[in-house]
Amino acid sequence: MDIREKIVKLKKEKKAIVLAHYYQRDDVQEIADYVGDSFYLAQVGKESDAEVIVFCGVRFMAESAKILSPDKTVLFPCYTEAPCCMEYMASPEEILQYKEKYPEVKVVTYVNSSSAVKTVSDVCCTSSSVENIINNLDSEEILFVPDKNLASYVQEQVLNKKIIPWDGCCNIHDAIKVSDIERAIDENGKDLVIAAHPECKKNVRDMAHYVGSTSGILNYVKKSSSKRFLIVTEKGISHQLKKDNPDKEFFFLPMLCKAMKKVFPETILESLETMNGEIIIDDETVTKAAKALNNMLLFSKPRGE
Ligand code: 13P
Ligand code: SF4
């Protein structure tokens, strides 16, 4: 049996599913039962009747799956540290201090954060759900933790509320400069259609024809009649883009999230064989963080639905 067949057999035996983010290695995405953006994966994990979830992503994603489904076993098939850099950009103590000073302000926390930060947040969001969540939230003033770029993007979409940004960002998206886009256009042609993730800086987003989450970018490209695209997000998304659009041409910037590349078919197999890499979170954290994560699923529908 090859690795893939062994994984299929073990998944059946252990009632397991494999979830993978679009930034994962190509061979990991090919093994996964579900591939998606962070919102979709959180939803699939919670709704699935599997007993074991093998989460191929970064640490906060696997922890969120555990918090949303405390009765399931969640395996993180990754034996070196694989956190998103934003997991360190805010602390619960700092947020509690802020809340004490400004009790009327609601705290919306990007899922790309530690579980501890989620315990002191009112609601979590992802980039694909943030606009609906802010619109549905019963507050005019919102502290947005920790991504200042996503905060400024949301402020452009939601004009009737005040979004107060925390001072964090994704180091990979934030590093992209206007000159990088200009160079890509110079080298590859002015006809490039630009799609960017909202974790990019405002001046980069302003150059894009489309701004959205990983699934948003995939949908946009699929529907577009254009043939040549500059994709301004992590390069792992190229796997699904090429699968969906074999007739289109894609250009990328050197955007690599090392934390996303630490899962391999071999580690998935080993995890399923040994149950190594189980996510364990204390009950108090699970209970408190579950509120903000469940609110995310609840508030993510368009207002009025
Ligand atoms: P998505 O929710 O768009 O998949 O983004 C997750 C992420 O980590 C972007 O850097
Ligand atoms: Fe975190 Fe950035 Fe990696 Fe996304 S690309 S997981 S935001 S470090």
Side-chain angles (χ1 to χ4, degrees):
M1 270 200 281
D2 65 15
I3 289 195
R4 226 187 145 115
E5 288 164 341
K6 286 182 189 164
I7 291 174
V8 170
K9 184 167 173 278
L10 280 165
K11 276 195 310 187
K12 229 187 214 161
E13 280 169 23
K14 305 209 170 177
K15 294 203 171 69
I17 52 167
V18 178
L19 310 185
H21 188 266
Y22 289 128
Y23 295 165
Q24 288 286 292
R25 292 165 50 93
D26 296 0
D27 51 7
V28 168
Q29 292 191 44
E30 282 299 310
I31 281 170
D33 299 295
Y34 301 90
V35 184
D37 73 359
S38 38
F39 185 81
Y40 172 78
L41 295 175
Q43 217 170 20
V44 168
K46 183 174 162 85
E47 285 168 11
S48 162
D49 54 12
E51 288 173 15
V52 177
I53 296 173
V54 184
F55 208 116
C56 311
V58 283
R59 185 153 196 103
F60 79 82
M61 295 182 176
E63 288 193 7
S64 298
K66 178 68 187 176
I67 291 164
L68 283 166
S69 302
D71 296 335
K72 293 174 190 154
T73 300
V74 176
L75 301 176
F76 187 40
C78 171
Y79 307 127
T80 50
E81 283 300 300
C84 166
C85 63
M86 283 194 270
E87 292 181 40
Y88 304 117
M89 290 186 180
S91 71
E93 294 77 22
E94 290 170 304
I95 294 168
L96 285 172
Q97 265 173 24
Y98 189 96
K99 280 170 87 152
E100 215 171 275
K101 225 167 150 187
Y102 306 103
E104 71 290 358
V105 176
K106 288 261 159 73
V107 178
V108 176
T109 294
Y110 195 23
V111 275
N112 298 46
S113 56
S114 67
S115 299
V117 164
K118 291 179 178 94
T119 63
V120 294
S121 305
D122 293 295
V123 54
C124 287
C125 71
T126 63
S127 53
S128 59
S129 59
V130 59
E131 207 179 316
N132 287 338
I133 287 168
I134 302 254
N135 276 324
N136 285 328
L137 202 60
D138 176 22
S139 175
E140 300 309 309
E141 277 190 80
I142 287 142
L143 175 68
F144 192 89
V145 182
D147 186 351
K148 61 183 175 193
N149 293 326
L150 185 58
S152 81
Y153 171 72
V154 185
Q155 184 66 88
E156 289 162 11
Q157 316 303 315
V158 181
L159 299 174
N160 59 342
K161 302 200 179 196
K162 184 176 170 201
I163 315 284
I164 303 149
W166 199 260
D167 189 18
C169 63
C170 163
N171 294 333
I172 294 138
H173 287 82
D174 188 70
I176 299 304
K177 301 184 292 295
V178 167
S179 57
D180 297 321
I181 311 272
E182 286 170 346
R183 194 173 325 113
I185 295 171
D186 280 351
E187 286 171 4
N188 303 299
K190 283 193 168 53
D191 61 322
L192 285 183
V193 172
I194 303 169
H197 198 278
E199 289 172 8
C200 294
K201 284 193 175 95
K202 175 173 167 52
N203 57 5
V204 167
R205 296 197 310 265
D206 285 348
M207 296 182 83
H209 300 89
Y210 173 79
V211 177
S213 68
T214 50
S215 56
I217 291 174
L218 283 156
N219 288 337
Y220 173 77
V221 169
K222 216 174 186 175
K223 283 191 198 140
S224 170
S225 56
S226 302
K227 293 284 179 212
R228 302 177 78 245
F229 297 84
L230 175 64
I231 304 295
V232 191
T233 193
E234 212 275 345
K235 275 175 91 168
I237 197 174
S238 63
H239 184 61
Q240 191 68 43
L241 276 168
K242 287 175 190 164
K243 250 174 116 167
D244 289 349
N245 310 279
D247 58 327
K248 296 180 182 172
E249 197 178 359
F250 299 102
F251 298 86
F252 296 89
L253 297 173
M255 298 171 74
L256 173 72
C257 176
K258 287 191 186 149
M260 277 283 183
K261 311 297 175 190
K262 295 187 173 178
V263 176
F264 298 86
E266 291 78 4
T267 60
I268 297 175
L269 176 60
E270 193 189 322
S271 216
L272 276 166
E273 274 169 348
T274 61
M275 302 307 268
N276 259 354
E278 182 175 354
I279 296 280
I280 309 278
I281 308 176
D282 65 89
D283 290 349
E284 194 186 340
T285 302
V286 168
T287 311
K288 288 186 179 167
K291 267 194 213 149
L293 278 166
N294 279 311
N295 278 343
M296 168 177 95
L297 300 178
L298 203 68
F299 293 169
S300 62
K301 307 215 165 55
R303 209 183 161 93
E305 261 185 37

